[in-house]
Amino acid sequence: MLCFSLLSCGAFSQEKVKFMDFNYITTSLEEETLYNTKTPYILLYFYNPECEDCTKIKKELSKNKELKELIEKGVVEVLAILPDVDKEYWLDKKKFIPKTWKNCWIENDKPIIQNYLKTLPTFYVLDEEKYVFLSPNATDLINWIKQKHSENNNN
């Protein structure tokens, strides 16, 4: 099981890189794919419920009124992914994730772990076409949410 103490990995993405498509299962046991997610932005949140930093940022994000509004308006979808665990463990920890977020489990997550995860928590913000728009640290993520909220309210 992955769990690291660093709060973030990466910075603003400099080149357009498309995030790999993957199948995931939601807590309602429906199978979906990343590429079928149809919102302007997707926030991928890779976490472990036993990770102190994961818990800290999850609490901060779940209380963030701007993020809640962006989710309600269909501007952002949050996919919370618990990597490198079996399905039973993931289901047992489903209360960790807010109900407005999509709680996801990936059966074969090894390619994602190898290609995208250096630490937990890890965030990726994807645009509509699933290009990595941002791979922020926690502070940059909160700033991006505020910016998107402001843009959305000015349109």
Side-chain angles (χ1 to χ4, degrees):
M1 184 182 321
L2 294 169
C3 190
F4 301 93
S5 62
L6 296 175
L7 187 59
S8 63
C9 82
F12 289 96
S13 179
Q14 298 298 314
E15 61 182 73
K16 281 192 114 183
V17 176
K18 203 165 201 174
F19 204 95
M20 68 182 286
D21 195 11
F22 58 86
N23 295 334
Y24 59 88
I25 297 172
T26 65
T27 50
S28 60
L29 301 180
E30 295 177 34
E31 188 168 328
E32 300 182 22
T33 69
L34 175 66
Y35 281 22
N36 285 335
T37 304
K38 304 294 181 202
T39 55
Y41 297 97
I42 300 168
L43 169 56
L44 298 177
Y45 165 60
F46 294 93
Y47 73 97
N48 182 311
E50 297 173 18
C51 164
E52 199 174 296
D53 289 332
C54 298
T55 301
K56 179 181 171 186
I57 190 63
K58 188 260 318 184
K59 285 180 181 176
E60 187 174 348
L61 289 173
S62 64
K63 292 177 183 177
N64 186 293
K65 291 179 181 163
E66 290 120 339
L67 179 59
K68 284 181 183 180
E69 193 172 307
L70 290 169
I71 292 169
E72 288 170 7
K73 290 182 175 183
V75 176
V76 174
E77 172 123 45
V78 179
L79 301 184
I81 302 164
L82 174 54
D84 201 28
V85 297
D86 63 34
K87 190 175 183 180
E88 290 73 31
Y89 179 85
W90 166 71
L91 285 169
D92 187 52
K93 302 297 182 186
K94 68 183 178 183
K95 292 179 184 173
F96 183 79
I97 298 301
K99 293 186 187 304
T100 58
W101 300 6
K102 203 173 267 187
N103 192 348
C104 309
W105 179 75
I106 304 170
E107 186 170 9
N108 180 16
D109 59 4
K110 299 297 181 224
I112 291 173
I113 292 169
Q114 291 172 346
N115 293 311
Y116 299 101
L117 301 182
K118 293 179 176 72
T119 186
L120 290 178
T122 294
F123 312 98
Y124 287 96
V125 179
L126 311 180
D127 67 14
E128 230 171 346
E129 298 172 7
K130 312 317 178 254
Y131 284 99
V132 176
F133 175 74
L134 186 64
S135 179
N137 61 35
T139 302
D140 289 339
L141 179 60
I142 298 299
N143 290 335
W144 179 83
I145 290 168
K146 288 179 181 178
Q147 176 191 346
K148 279 294 138 206
H149 182 265
S150 177
E151 288 173 8
N152 193 53
N153 284 337
N154 290 331
N155 291 334

